[in-house]
Amino acid sequence: MRPSYEEVGRYIDGIEAEMKRIGFWRDEPLPAEMYNFTQAFAMDTMPFPYWLQFIFIPRVRSIIAEQGDFPRGSQAGAQAVREFDGVWEASDLVSKLSAFDALFN
């Protein structure tokens, strides 16, 4: 069973709030060239927290706003485990992203 738009919105709100709480949220916009990525999670142009803030969260919010189709799966939590290995302040963020993945996997 697919999650509701409201449920996914609550997860995204929690992810954003946690990013802000731990200081992973950027107030300034990214330079335009950082959006010219070719690799998964924009690994070739931006750090993972930037991808979460400027690509992942807006895309999910756009799907919710348009009542669109969610992806068949998510690997954001799996990538967070790799990216934040040993970063203790990100442990709750990793948990929230892993829970988001579980909605679709």
Side-chain angles (χ1 to χ4, degrees):
M1 183 174 189
R2 304 302 281 173
S4 70
Y5 295 110
E6 295 78 20
E7 181 180 18
V8 174
R10 285 191 298 273
Y11 276 80
I12 287 297
D13 289 345
I15 291 165
E16 179 177 332
E18 183 61 17
M19 288 181 68
K20 289 178 178 177
R21 187 187 74 77
I22 63 176
F24 281 16
W25 197 260
R26 180 182 166 108
D27 291 328
E28 311 84 36
L30 294 178
E33 62 270 11
M34 292 183 92
Y35 290 95
N36 296 329
F37 56 89
T38 59
Q39 295 180 3
F41 305 106
M43 291 176 58
D44 54 339
T45 64
M46 65 182 74
F48 185 65
Y50 290 6
W51 177 83
L52 289 170
Q53 179 180 347
F54 293 99
I55 307 298
F56 174 72
I57 291 173
R59 282 186 182 170
V60 174
R61 288 212 168 114
S62 175
I63 292 169
I64 293 168
E66 296 168 6
Q67 303 282 290
D69 293 329
F70 289 119
R72 289 196 163 101
S74 174
Q75 295 297 315
Q79 184 66 21
V81 168
R82 291 186 284 275
E83 293 285 335
F84 300 133
D85 184 34
V87 182
W88 65 269
E89 65 267 20
S91 62
D92 286 343
L93 178 59
V94 170
S95 294
K96 289 177 185 305
L97 288 162
S98 295
F100 180 89
D101 282 359
L103 292 173
F104 302 99
N105 299 331

